[in-house]
């Protein structure tokens, strides 16, 4: 059995975890809403026309929208 102090600590940690989960969910919903609302143009907003065609990963474009990220387990490389 848990002591009263452990119960309060568990309640506090689970409350913090729930709050963080709620914040992440709200941020995800906002990101999806912005993406659907602007038809994806907001994602490429920081990119200039020249940088996204020649060098997608640069100071002008912080990410490469055409790159597919695959992890090692996804490729079957891990036992």
């Amino acid at each position: 059995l848990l002591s009263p102090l452990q119960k309060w600590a568990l309640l506090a940690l689970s409350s913090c975890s729930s709050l963080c989960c709620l914040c992440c969910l709200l941020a995800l919903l906002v990101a999806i809403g912005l993406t659907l609302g602007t038809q994806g143009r907001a994602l490429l907003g920081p990119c200039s026309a020249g940088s996204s065609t020649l060098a997608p990963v640069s100071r002008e474009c912080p990410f490469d929208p055409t790159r597919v990220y695959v992890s090692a387990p996804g490729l079957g490389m891990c036992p």
Side-chain angles (χ1 to χ4, degrees):
L1 293 173
L2 296 174
S3 70
L5 181 61
Q6 289 174 328
K7 289 180 183 179
W8 282 109
L10 184 62
L11 178 66
L13 287 174
S14 64
S15 298
C16 289
S17 176
S18 297
L19 184 62
C20 287
C21 181
L22 180 63
C23 289
C24 289
L25 180 64
L26 290 175
L28 179 64
L29 290 175
V30 167
I32 290 172
L34 286 174
T35 302
L36 293 177
T38 62
Q39 297 176 348
R41 288 186 304 270
L43 293 174
L44 298 175
C47 303
S48 64
S51 67
S52 63
T53 57
L54 298 176
V57 180
S58 66
R59 272 191 290 254
E60 291 81 21
C61 190
F63 68 97
D64 182 359
T66 62
R67 184 175 179 141
V68 176
Y69 296 94
V70 179
S71 63
L75 293 173
M77 293 182 176
C78 294

